[in-house]
Amino acid sequence: MTTIETPAPQPSGTLSSGNRLLTLASRYGTFVAFLALILFNVAVTPNFLSLQTLNVNLTQVATIVIVATGMTLVIATGGIDLSVGSLMAIAGALAPMIFMGQFWPVENMALAVALAFLLPIAAAALFGLFNGFLVTRFSIQPIIATLVLFIAGRGIAQVMTNGNLQVFKNEGFQFIALGRIAGVPAQVLLMIVIVAAAFAMIRYTVIGRQIIAVGGNEKAARLTGIPVKRVKLFVYMISGALAGVAGLIVVARNSASDANLVGLGMELDAIAAVAVGGTLLTGGRANIVGTVLGALVIQLVRYTLLANGVPDAAALIVKAGLIVTAVFIQQRASKH
């Protein structure tokens, strides 16, 4: 008699080779992509290893990383913030108006410059708090709540400046974008400080654990005594403040403030960096280091295409492909 042997069932908890590959891709895919881009550019792109190229890429990615860090915290709670680009425009419009004396006569320029840093960031943080208020007080879905300022915020910035370009020059204010400390661009050092602070907060503090808990299971978090509303207000406020910082860097770098262009599309770059970096868009996880790598991958893709004669529009298509791939891998990996 012929016997048919049936394969022994896999032990519980083991993964098939396909599932194992998805898991590895979700964990290390961003780093592998980052390494592949570097190796490709080393081999193909002239002068890629020069200090000038390093400086260009780091200064271009700094604002994306700063905004994406705040976005990571919001997404970790299960939310999203579409208003960051518009808040950059508001902060970028407000700062020059302060030290150029458009609100009151400037008598002490040092004080005016200090206020040009502090007030726009505070204003952006308050707008972020407004987003959080809509989400927590009225239970409006985050994508709708932040869409309000996505639309109205840029209009506010345009009204503030009458839609005009504000050209200025002030070395004290522009140090945030053009200055160097020990040879390192000030904006890059600021980016590192912000990323390190966010990483430490998520990893080692109570509020960091609460952020993850709220995104993982909001109902359970509430039942365990976590102040869910305050946590959400906090992350939206931080997201707004960091958007304000990024807005100041952009206008300081350009020596001009254009409410029509500052922060335009930044919300998409930030969300892309978070998604590519491995933070689940459904909440419950905050991969700060992954977000930085995701932003670097997005920047390197754009640089690689431009350096090799491919139109900038192609970078948008590749960026969209990266987001779809990242989300697909996350969803498939989370099911196993």
Side-chain angles (χ1 to χ4, degrees), residues 90 127 149 151-161:
I90 291 174
F127 278 115
L149 279 176
I151 298 170
R154 192 165 297 278
I156 292 171
Q158 290 168 339
V159 168
M160 289 168 59
T161 61

Side-chain angles (χ1 to χ4, degrees), residues 37-215:
L37 282 165
I38 289 179
L39 293 174
F40 175 84
N41 280 288
V42 168
V44 174
T45 306
N47 304 316
F48 177 71
L49 294 179
S50 67
L51 286 176
Q52 181 181 3
T53 299
L54 178 64
N55 179 70
V56 167
N57 281 299
L58 285 178
T59 53
Q60 288 294 322
V61 84
T63 49
I64 299 176
V65 171
I66 290 170
V67 175
T69 298
M71 187 71 75
T72 302
L73 301 180
V74 171
I75 289 177
T77 64
I80 197 129
D81 189 352
L82 298 182
S83 70
V84 288
S86 296
L87 297 189
M88 286 177 64
I90 291 174
L94 184 58
M97 295 174 72
I98 292 173
F99 69 74
M100 290 170 68
Q102 295 186 26
F103 291 114
W104 59 80
V106 177
E107 297 179 0
N108 186 326
M109 184 55 70
L111 177 61
V113 169
L115 291 176
F117 283 117
L118 297 176
L119 293 184
I121 294 173
L126 285 174
F127 278 115
L129 206 57
F130 172 76
N131 286 332
F133 182 74
L134 292 181
V135 171
T136 58
R137 179 65 178 85
F138 297 104
S139 300
I140 300 175
Q141 291 182 340
I143 194 170
I144 302 300
T146 58
L147 188 63
V148 172
L149 279 176
F150 170 80
I151 298 170
R154 192 165 297 278
I156 292 171
Q158 290 168 339
V159 168
M160 289 168 59
T161 61
N162 292 319
N164 297 323
L165 181 70
Q166 298 183 100
V167 181
F168 64 89
K169 183 168 184 175
N170 183 288
E171 292 183 1
F173 177 77
Q174 292 181 273
F175 183 84
I176 191 175
L178 304 180
R180 290 176 176 270
I181 299 174
V184 181
Q187 60 185 298
V188 174
L189 290 175
L190 181 58
M191 174 194 76
I192 292 170
V193 169
I194 288 170
V195 167
F199 178 83
M201 181 184 71
I202 289 294
R203 195 73 177 268
Y204 302 113
T205 68
V206 172
I207 185 64
R209 290 190 287 273
Q210 290 176 341
I211 288 170
I212 303 302
V214 169

